Amino acid sequence: MASRSRTRVYNSWWSYRADCWSRLEEAVNRVVVAQRRDSPIDGLVEPIMEQCTALVPIEQFWAFPGPELFARVQELAASADYPRLLHLVASINRALVTESYRHGSMALRDNQEASEDDLPELEHSDSDRPYFEVLVVDTLTPEQEHDLREEMRSWRRADDKFVYELVVVGSGPEALVAMRLNANIQACVIRRRFSHGSLHDLTDLDEFIDPDLSAELADHTPDERAQILARRMARERPEVDLYLMTEVGVEEMAGRLSHHFRRVFHAREGSLDLHQSILAGVMHRYRTPFFDALRAYAHRPTGAFHALPISQGKSIVGTHWIRDMVGFYGLDIFLAETSATGGGLDSLLEPTGPLRDAQDCAAETFGSRQTFFVTNGTSTANKIVAQALVGPGDIVLVDRNCHQSHHYGLMLAGAQVSYLDAYPLNEFAMYGAVPIREIKQRLLDLRAAGKLDRVRLLMLTNCTFDGVVYDVGRVMEECLAIKPDLVFLWDEAWWAFARFHPIYRPRTGMRAARTLVEKLRTPEYRAAYEEWDQTERSDRELVEDRLMPDPDTTRVRVYSTQSTHKTLTSLRQGSMIHVHDQDFAQKSREAFHEAYMAHTSTSPNYQILASLDLGRRQAALEGFELVQRQLESAMRLRDAIDNHPLLSKYMHCLSTAEMIPDEYRESHLAHPLRSGLHNMIRAWSTDEFVMDPTRISLYIGLTGIDGATFKQAELMDRFNIQINKTSRNTVLFMTNIGTSRSSVAYLIEVLVSIVREIDERKSEASRAETIVFERAVARLTNAAAPLPDFSGFHEAFRDPSEHPTPEGDVRRAFFLSYDDTNCEYLLQAEAEAKLAAGGTIVSATYVTPYPPGFPVLVPGQVFSTAILEYMGALDTPEVHGYNPVVGYRVYTDAAVEIAMADRARLYAGSEQ
Ligand SMILES: Cc1ncc(COP(=O)(O)O)c(C=O)c1O
């Protein structure tokens, strides 16, 4: 019974475990109260045994309360000593709930026959040192395990920066389960004698068991087993430090160790060394070079004969009129304000000290080869990357539904832009993502036109605003099979957290790049490629087939931009650029530096930089836990909405099946995570697109309230709930690593009260009111005008080659409007009439309705009937680049002629 309900907790064993301990305490308490009243306890004892049994398979994976205390709990339960059991369970539970076990220890006294008062209490230490757990994988007797704990504890020193306890498991499969369940684990010591098969009954935990691991381990020598286990663990939790302890030739082992191990120790010599290495390993992730330098600088007395009067609080400590500024922010933030780049600080534009160090730490944490901090958001990060990689005339493939920073970045770089269309979700007035077939077809068309050598970059947003996630590795492999030096920019503005969860990680740009580099180097891949390459394929077949890149010519060149501030901890505008580019040194370093200089302030904000450094530390040490909790919160929210009798009458969370058409889901799973963790893993490893469950599009068409009104009038004005994106019949709720169970509960409460009002109004409505409501619902639930595809650039902005392909010169199209006489305004009706009369209309600007927030028109783009129909039916209040009073800003026919003449001049040489 228990195991059935557990699969519904979405990997949430820590909350399941916490609930078990609380339920156990309640159950024991009921018995004790009954005993005190001399009431019968029949039927009250069973729940105690049930909770104890439920805890048995999972307690081994946590250091607290640990095997000895837990054994004592079981003994007291078995001997029906309920008062003492209550005392013990309550102490353990309190320590777990308040997390006080992190700051003290609890041990059994020797005299187990003594009175209640002699049961263990948590002994608090004064120290506030961070606490973690170390997994030891070895078959040990209980006595050996006890001695090992004591031995490792004996090395503790008062000035250690951290304190840790051990979790001991005896087998490879259990070690992997521990890694998946226990987020406190920061280091793991693998000893050679661990067993390949599980030593306990893990049936209840089958969701977390790797089905092949046991068999794989069985066929190998102890050394090989250790390597296999290390590889698996590194795949799950790459941040965890792995150590090997062996009794045989350490010197020889050290030379053969996989890079996954930090160090190898001799079992008999190594325990002090091991202790120090464990602390040093965690310290390596804990250190925040730039934050530390800034803090040290802030406390030094300085005299500033330079700019920045606010520096060190100088202009505000004696203020009469802006004291509230200091009161609100506190003095420290001003003490840390400085324009100095020396004195222990560093220059962002040419970092050689703590900033460089901090960026190197970030590269390690985010799995890149280089990482660069950006203090003006991913808007700037995207422009830096575009400018670094793209020269005038280079062709760039980009999802038209991308963030505006790409449009502007490509315009500034002078790119020839080839817009790709994502699949539309007309019913919800939003877009999905760009199918791989569309991308390959575009590349093949460019190849047929003889322009492949000019194609430089593919830019895609992963995940999309609405949570659609690409198969990043597949996209890169298939594109590189057509164009082996194509560069990729993955806009991961919303995806920085993905690195820290094993299910998400393979679909991030940096991990996919590394996996691809490793894969291309293997002999197995080469053999498979050579066989695949035997077959001649037509373009049509190349679009349909799964393509394989040539291991000899392919260069893996991948960039990711991330708004750290959107999904991890950082002050607003804190972003990072991650690079995994095999040709960075030869081809991009200089250009990247120039682009970075072009877009970066010479006075970057130190607080943002320090917060990036700290956000990185947090992600490296607790990213896994935070993301897992976020996932759980999101699933709780989804379940609470979809299972609520009243809410589900009017709204539901869009499922994967509604957001991603079946043709893109090989698994055909409509609700991957809801149908079990194994299914989620399957979908995430096979499907062209998957949904990030932490982003929840709530369909509200049946409420009769449109998305924009729901957001502002209902959620914001009445209940102070902020959301960002809406469509005509959906609102998007994004959970993040700060989303708490209470905030989920508050949102549910709010939704219930909104829906209850609607329901009451409906039941009491007059005939006329009912008609109004039904019309509103019909308007929101019937398909609106379909989302228009990209209509194309006017030929004046395309190259006049014999083989026309759709890319356009956005820079020329943009700057033509700087001469106002080139532009005129057309009202919707006038534009419709002009098109109907066979005229051509060319946009002079970006027109972006919000929602959905993508440009329906870009400079140089021709108007189409579909676009005008869409705009005519649009009921969103905000349309950037369009003023309904004066109409669309478009190019005059004369201006288009000028552009045609310019084109003729520009391409005169190439036409000859
Ligand atoms: C896909 C995408 N890329 C880039 C950005 C810009 O990020 P930032 O706000 O960090 O400048 C956004 C902002 O919403 C975005 O949605």
Side-chain angles (χ1 to χ4, degrees):
M1 280 298 283
S3 67
R4 289 301 116 232
S5 63
R6 278 175 212 168
T7 57
R8 287 272 155 271
V9 295
Y10 310 113
N11 199 12
S12 171
W13 283 74
W14 40 57
S15 44
Y16 173 78
R17 175 174 177 247
D19 290 349
C20 283
W21 279 104
S22 296
R23 279 197 293 264
L24 178 59
E25 185 182 341
E26 277 163 30
V28 184
N29 191 41
R30 271 196 297 276
V31 173
V32 170
V33 169
Q35 282 181 328
R36 277 196 202 125
R37 290 184 188 146
D38 285 333
S39 310
I41 59 167
D42 314 337
L44 296 181
V45 171
E46 208 176 82
I48 298 179
M49 299 324 275
E50 249 174 40
Q51 295 308 323
C52 281
T53 313
L55 283 167
V56 168
I58 48 177
E59 270 316 301
Q60 59 164 325
F61 300 117
W62 277 272
F64 180 82
E68 289 166 26
L69 279 179
F70 186 58
R72 184 77 176 125
V73 167
Q74 289 171 298
E75 276 165 33
L76 290 173
S79 62
D81 188 347
Y82 299 117
R84 287 157 62 93
L85 178 61
L86 179 60
H87 185 89
L88 181 55
V89 170
S91 306
I92 292 173
N93 197 24
R94 200 175 324 118
L96 284 172
V97 171
T98 59
E99 297 201 318
S100 56
Y101 70 90
R102 289 173 165 270
H103 307 290
S105 60
M106 196 189 244
L108 279 177
R109 311 260 154 81
D110 288 340
N111 182 2
Q112 297 188 358
E113 300 304 315
S115 71
E116 234 177 72
D117 298 340
D118 280 343
L119 278 165
E121 284 292 347
L122 194 70
E123 285 168 16
H124 285 272
S125 71
D126 292 337
S127 138
D128 206 18
R129 290 182 289 190
Y131 164 92
F132 62 91
E133 294 178 11
V134 175
L135 179 66
V136 176
V137 193
D138 195 2
T139 39
L140 298 178
T141 63
E143 293 72 34
Q144 286 170 325
E145 192 177 319
H146 176 88
D147 291 348
L148 180 64
R149 283 179 210 284
E150 290 306 313
E151 184 183 342
M152 295 309 280
R153 280 186 193 139
S154 74
W155 298 122
R156 286 183 189 171
R157 294 288 170 273
D159 57 354
D160 284 347
K161 201 80 177 139
F162 316 107
V163 63
Y164 65 86
E165 290 287 353
L166 303 187
V167 176
V168 180
V169 295
S171 75
E174 279 154 320
L176 214 53
V177 174
M179 286 285 219
R180 288 175 172 178
L181 296 187
N182 183 350
N184 285 342
I185 293 174
Q186 298 288 354
C188 170
V189 184
I190 299 179
R191 316 234 284 192
R192 287 172 80 250
R193 286 172 309 170
F194 70 87
S195 156
H196 67 273
S198 160
L199 305 174
H200 295 88
D201 177 8
L202 298 181
T203 326
D204 280 349
L205 291 158
D206 66 344
E207 286 250 276
F208 304 94
I209 308 279
D210 188 327
D212 312 321
L213 181 61
S214 190
E216 196 180 336
L217 292 171
D219 297 337
H220 290 89
T221 63
D223 289 350
E224 288 166 345
R225 276 187 202 176
Q227 307 268 12
I228 293 168
L229 185 59
R231 212 167 31 245
R232 289 292 173 94
M233 288 181 156
R235 209 191 296 161
E236 288 296 311
R237 303 261 313 266
E239 75 283 6
V240 169
D241 299 321
L242 301 181
Y243 301 94
L244 182 65
M245 243 190 169
T246 173
E247 289 106 25
V248 295
V250 266
E251 304 78 5
E252 188 218 345
M253 275 296 292
R256 290 190 282 117
L257 274 188
S258 81
H259 64 277
H260 300 302
F261 287 108
R262 259 178 93 84
R263 268 193 71 178
V264 57
F265 296 96
H266 193 280
R268 236 161 278 139
E269 297 169 350
S271 92
L272 175 57
D273 260 6
L274 175 65
H275 167 77
Q276 285 169 330
S277 297
I278 288 171
L279 294 182
V282 173
M283 190 62 205
H284 182 70
R285 278 176 278 154
Y286 184 84
R287 53 194 283 277
T288 35
F290 186 69
F291 171 67
D292 296 345
L294 189 61
R295 199 163 47 168
Y297 189 92
H299 293 130
R300 269 200 234 161
T302 56
F305 291 93
H306 191 14
L308 202 67
I310 209 171
S311 158
Q312 303 239 307
K314 296 266 188 332
S315 69
I316 49 176
V317 282
T319 180
H320 299 298
W321 292 96
I322 55 170
R323 277 192 200 163
D324 44 349
M325 188 174 184
V326 188
F328 182 68
Y329 290 106
L331 192 59
D332 275 350
I333 195 161
F334 304 111
L335 292 179
E337 272 297 313
T338 172
S339 53
T341 53
L345 293 174
D346 202 356
S347 156
L348 182 62
L349 294 169
E350 292 284 355
T352 52
L355 266 176
R356 184 174 178 154
D357 206 2
Q359 293 181 114
D360 288 346
C361 290
E364 204 173 309
T365 301
F366 288 88
S368 68
R369 290 186 172 186
Q370 288 89 12
T371 286
F372 299 89
F373 289 172
V374 179
T375 57
N376 193 23
T378 301
S379 305
T380 292
N382 285 336
K383 287 178 199 140
I384 292 172
V385 177
Q387 183 164 336
L389 298 172
V390 179
D394 285 348
I395 297 174
V396 176
L397 274 54
V398 57
D399 177 2
R400 186 191 34 145
N401 189 21
C402 62
H403 186 254
Q404 61 175 32
S405 53
H406 298 288
H407 297 283
Y408 286 110
L410 293 175
M411 181 271 292
L412 290 172
Q416 295 277 332
V417 180
S418 189
Y419 283 119
L420 300 161
D421 279 310
Y423 67 80
L425 291 164
N426 286 322
E427 200 184 334
F428 313 120
M430 57 170 92
Y431 278 99
V434 185
I436 183 67
R437 295 168 81 254
E438 159 112 6
I439 304 171
K440 286 197 287 181
Q441 185 65 62
R442 189 64 56 88
L443 286 172
L444 292 168
D445 290 348
L446 285 157
R447 181 163 83 177
K451 298 180 189 169
L452 202 56
D453 60 321
R454 284 174 45 210
V455 178
R456 179 74 50 230
L457 181 65
L458 171 65
M459 289 171 150
L460 293 171
T461 306
N462 193 50
C463 68
T464 68
F465 212 144
D466 303 294
V468 181
V469 180
Y470 285 86
D471 184 341
V472 176
R474 176 177 171 192
V475 169
M476 299 201 292
E477 280 184 29
E478 295 218 50
C479 290
L480 288 168
I482 301 173
K483 164 97 180 142
D485 60 350
L486 185 64
V487 191
F488 299 86
L489 167 56
W490 293 98
D491 180 336
E492 296 178 346
W494 295 102
W495 198 230
F497 70 94
R499 163 88 190 161
F500 303 99
H501 197 281
I503 298 181
Y504 287 66
R505 192 179 306 113
R507 290 190 180 231
T508 61
M510 289 303 106
R511 173 44 72 94
R514 211 182 91 186
T515 307
L516 185 53
V517 169
E518 285 169 2
K519 180 173 171 178
L520 293 176
R521 283 187 188 143
T522 60
E524 294 80 16
Y525 180 81
R526 179 172 293 279
Y529 170 77
E530 279 164 7
E531 195 186 327
W532 178 85
D533 193 40
Q534 300 290 315
T535 313
E536 275 289 317
R537 290 173 179 83
S538 66
D539 277 8
R540 180 187 287 222
E541 285 164 335
L542 289 174
V543 169
E544 298 305 330
D545 284 3
R546 176 78 192 242
L547 310 187
M548 298 181 76
D550 180 347
D552 289 329
T553 54
T554 298
R555 303 301 293 165
V556 178
R557 308 189 59 194
V558 187
Y559 293 71
S560 304
T561 49
Q562 296 179 344
S563 296
T564 318
H565 68 102
K566 287 194 200 299
T567 64
L568 294 173
T569 295
S570 155
L571 291 179
R572 200 158 158 80
Q573 296 190 0
S575 284
M576 297 191 198
I577 300 172
H578 303 298
V579 182
H580 194 300
D581 179 351
Q582 288 185 305
D583 289 341
F584 190 70
Q586 289 101 345
K587 296 193 176 160
S588 302
R589 183 177 284 144
E590 301 307 323
F592 189 92
H593 183 67
E594 292 302 329
Y596 195 80
M597 298 286 269
H599 292 278
T600 302
S601 166
T602 45
S603 311
N605 184 310
Y606 280 177
Q607 315 318 323
I608 296 178
L609 294 170
S611 75
L612 283 172
D613 203 14
L614 286 160
R616 189 273 312 148
R617 178 209 286 174
Q618 182 186 39
L621 287 157
E622 56 187 343
F624 168 65
E625 176 173 1
L626 293 170
V627 176
Q628 177 58 37
R629 285 189 194 279
Q630 175 187 352
L631 199 54
E632 287 159 22
S633 300
M635 292 312 290
R636 276 202 195 95
L637 178 56
R638 283 172 181 271
D639 284 352
I641 294 172
D642 289 347
N643 299 333
H644 193 284
L646 187 59
L647 286 180
S648 56
K649 241 171 99 179
Y650 291 95
M651 46 183 65
H652 73 273
C653 302
L654 291 186
S655 67
T656 297
E658 286 170 293
M659 298 282 289
I660 303 173
D662 193 56
E663 63 184 293
Y664 306 122
R665 287 183 289 111
E666 203 178 308
S667 71
H668 304 295
L669 290 164
H671 299 274
L673 184 50
R674 265 193 193 150
S675 57
L677 196 61
H678 274 318
N679 276 337
M680 179 169 174
I681 294 170
R682 178 154 70 91
W684 279 63
S685 57
T686 60
D687 293 359
E688 181 172 348
F689 300 118
V690 289
M691 279 301 299
D692 172 3
T694 67
R695 306 169 78 86
I696 301 162
S697 289
L698 185 67
Y699 182 73
I700 53 164
L702 295 173
T703 62
I705 307 172
D706 66 83
T709 312
F710 199 90
K711 167 183 166 176
Q712 194 58 44
E714 299 290 338
L715 295 175
M716 187 63 215
D717 295 350
R718 293 182 57 197
F719 298 103
N720 250 327
I721 288 184
Q722 289 176 24
I723 58 164
N724 197 328
K725 184 172 182 280
T726 60
S727 77
R728 54 198 288 273
N729 49 21
T730 67
V731 287
L732 177 67
F733 294 111
M734 287 189 268
T735 54
N736 63 46
I737 58 166
T739 306
S740 62
R741 286 177 86 162
S742 312
S743 50
V744 168
Y746 178 58
L747 177 58
I748 298 294
E749 218 180 291
V750 165
L751 291 176
V752 169
S753 57
I754 294 173
V755 164
R756 191 170 290 134
E757 279 173 28
I758 296 173
D759 204 51
E760 274 168 18
R761 248 185 283 135
K762 212 176 127 192
S763 66
E764 293 164 11
S766 66
R767 179 85 196 105
E769 285 164 340
T770 303
I771 290 172
V772 171
F773 178 78
E774 282 169 356
R775 279 197 190 138
V777 171
R779 188 171 51 81
L780 294 175
T781 51
N782 291 332
L787 295 164
D789 278 347
F790 181 67
S791 53
F793 286 106
H794 188 274
E795 58 178 320
F797 306 106
R798 291 165 58 177
D799 90 48
S801 71
E802 266 175 62
H803 305 286
T805 41
E807 68 279 1
D809 182 345
V810 282
R811 188 156 69 177
R812 249 181 349 105
F814 180 86
F815 283 108
L816 191 64
S817 72
Y818 273 35
D819 180 347
D820 209 36
T821 61
N822 285 332
C823 302
E824 61 180 348
Y825 289 90
L826 287 183
L827 292 166
Q828 172 82 11
E830 290 169 332
E832 284 167 3
K834 187 166 178 183
L835 276 200
T840 302
I841 310 172
V842 182
S843 183
T845 185
Y846 294 98
V847 176
T848 308
Y850 193 90
F854 70 91
V856 172
L857 287 160
V858 302
Q861 184 182 345
V862 290
F863 279 54
S864 67
T865 317
I867 291 172
L868 285 176
E869 273 172 11
Y870 175 77
M871 290 294 290
L874 204 64
D875 46 14
T876 51
E878 207 177 315
V879 183
H880 304 164
Y882 171 70
N883 178 342
V885 180
V886 288
Y888 298 99
R889 191 162 193 246
V890 301
Y891 285 124
T892 60
D893 292 344
V896 175
E897 271 173 37
I898 295 172
M900 285 296 283
D902 276 351
R903 179 182 85 149
R905 261 196 309 280
L906 270 172
Y907 289 94
S910 59
E911 272 175 299
Q912 280 160 12

